[in-house]
Amino acid sequence: MRSYAPTLAILLSIFLSCTYAESIRSIFLFKDVLKSKTAALRTSGFNTLIIFGIGVTEDGSINYYSNTPGSKDIVVAAKGGYVGGDALASKVLSFKKGNDTGVNRIELSMNSAHVKELMAKGAGDDTVLAKNFKALKVAWGLDAVNNDDEKVYDIGSTVAFARMLGKVGYKYTFAPYTNLRFWVSVEKQLNAGLKEPGLLMDRVYLQCYDGGARNNPAEWSRTLGIKVVPLVWVTNDSKPGQGTTVAQARGKFNSWQGSVAGGGYWNDYDIEKMKLSYKQYGDVLTSIFK
C-alpha cells in the first residue's frame, strides 16, 4: 500500500509556514533612547520597539523629541543625510543586535505636523523629505513609521506620505484612539491590491487608555479588516486612573485574545520612573501572545 505520510508532512509544513506569524509584543519608547535600559528592552519579551517621537519641520528635516528631563530635541536628518550622531545611531541599532535580543522590528512614531504642506510640494522619493527618511532608515536600521495623528486627519496627504515612505523601504502603521472612519479610508487606499506580507499599512496599535479607554479591539479589527494590537498604559503618576498594573494588563489582554494580533504598552519611561519591571510586563505578553 502506498504511503502518503511524506506528502502530508510536506503539505503541513507549507501550510504552517504560510499561516504562522509571530504575535506582536510591543512597547513605545517615550524616554530618550540614549538613556533607556537597553538590556531590559532587549530581553524582556518585546519584539517591537516604537520610538516616540519624531516630527518633520517645514523644510523636510526630521527632529527627534527627547521627552526626557536633561535631554534636548535634536535634528536627526537634514538635507538628505543623517545628522543625529554616531552614539544615537549605535544605540538604536543595538536593540536588534546580539543573540540575547528578542527585538526584530523598530518603528518611529510621529505626529502629523507639516505633513500636509510638504506633500503639497511633492511626494516623490527624490524629495529632500524622502531622502531624509531613507538616510534615517539606514542609520538606525528602521522598519516602519507609525502615524500618531490625533489632530489633522487629512486623508490625501496621509496616503501620499505613506506611499512615499513605502518607496524608500518602510512599512506604515497607525496608533489611533478615535476617528475610525478616517483610518479605514486610509487603510483601504494604502493596501488596495496588496496582500500579506506585502501590505504597506501592516499594523494598527490601538490606544485602549485615556481618550481610547472605551475602544473595543475586536470591533476595530472587524471594521479595519486587520487584527489590531491593543495598547494599555502602564502604572504611572501622570494619569494614575489610566494606569494598568501587571495583573490588570494580563486580564485585559486575556479578554482580547483571539481578536487581536498581539499587545503592547505605553510606555518605557513610566516603567522606569515608577520602578516597575520590564520583565513582568513583558512576561504578560509572552505568556499570552506567542
Side-chain angles (χ1 to χ4, degrees):
M1 184 176 181
R2 184 178 177 183
S3 173
Y4 289 89
T7 302
L8 291 173
I10 291 171
L11 289 173
L12 179 60
S13 175
I14 293 173
F15 173 77
L16 290 174
S17 66
C18 291
T19 58
Y20 175 79
E22 183 182 30
S23 294
I24 299 162
R25 302 184 299 273
S26 60
I27 184 167
F28 276 68
L29 307 187
F30 185 80
K31 188 175 183 178
D32 179 355
V33 296
L34 280 173
K35 298 181 178 182
S36 62
K37 294 184 177 180
T38 311
L41 289 166
R42 287 158 49 96
T43 62
S44 296
F46 306 109
N47 56 25
T48 302
L49 307 181
I50 303 125
I51 299 173
F52 184 97
I54 293 291
V56 296
T57 62
E58 296 93 334
D59 66 355
S61 297
I62 305 174
N63 287 348
Y64 174 44
Y65 304 113
S66 70
N67 301 306
T68 306
S71 297
K72 62 180 181 179
D73 301 341
I74 63 169
V75 180
V76 292
K79 298 180 180 179
Y82 175 69
V83 296
D86 293 340
L88 185 53
S90 295
K91 184 62 179 289
V92 177
L93 289 170
S94 72
F95 289 128
K96 290 197 290 187
K97 288 184 177 180
N99 295 328
D100 64 337
T101 186
V103 179
N104 56 36
R105 175 156 163 154
I106 300 177
E107 305 188 17
L108 301 176
S109 182
M110 62 176 290
N111 59 45
S112 55
H114 306 300
V115 171
K116 183 176 180 180
E117 295 81 1
L118 287 166
M119 290 302 95
K121 296 178 181 179
D125 56 4
D126 58 343
T127 61
V128 171
L129 181 63
K131 291 177 180 178
N132 285 339
F133 271 100
K134 185 173 183 178
L136 190 56
K137 183 182 191 305
V138 172
W140 287 7
L142 301 170
D143 301 285
V145 170
N146 174 258
N147 182 349
D148 186 36
D149 186 357
E150 298 183 357
K151 183 178 180 181
V152 178
Y153 298 120
D154 182 74
I155 294 174
S157 60
T158 301
V159 170
F161 181 57
R163 287 174 175 165
M164 182 204 76
L165 291 171
K167 291 177 182 177
V168 296
Y170 287 93
K171 293 290 189 178
Y172 197 68
T173 68
F174 303 155
Y177 81 95
T178 190
N179 205 344
L180 178 55
R181 291 180 62 184
F182 168 80
W183 301 108
V184 168
S185 180
V186 173
E187 187 274 332
K188 285 184 177 180
Q189 292 187 57
L190 293 182
N191 286 340
L194 304 177
K195 295 181 179 180
E196 293 183 353
L199 298 178
L200 172 54
M201 198 298 295
D202 68 338
R203 295 186 181 185
V204 178
Y205 303 99
L206 179 65
Q207 297 180 45
C208 295
Y209 58 86
D210 205 4
R214 295 185 179 181
N215 280 332
N216 182 335
E219 179 184 347
W220 278 73
S221 293
R222 185 167 52 252
T223 305
L224 284 165
I226 180 172
K227 287 187 175 182
V228 305
V229 180
L231 302 174
V232 299
W233 193 349
V234 301
T235 302
N236 68 88
D237 61 356
S238 177
K239 291 187 177 181
Q242 295 299 324
T244 306
T245 66
V246 170
Q248 289 169 335
R250 185 177 297 279
K252 289 182 179 182
F253 289 130
N254 266 322
S255 71
W256 294 325
Q257 191 176 11
S259 63
V260 298
Y265 300 109
W266 173 260
N267 60 72
D268 68 323
Y269 180 86
D270 286 324
I271 287 180
E272 296 185 18
K273 183 180 182 182
M274 303 298 291
K275 300 185 181 345
L276 308 174
S277 169
Y278 279 108
K279 184 68 166 57
Q280 289 180 3
Y281 276 104
D283 283 349
V284 170
L285 299 181
T286 56
S287 65
I288 298 173
F289 305 113
K290 307 298 183 181

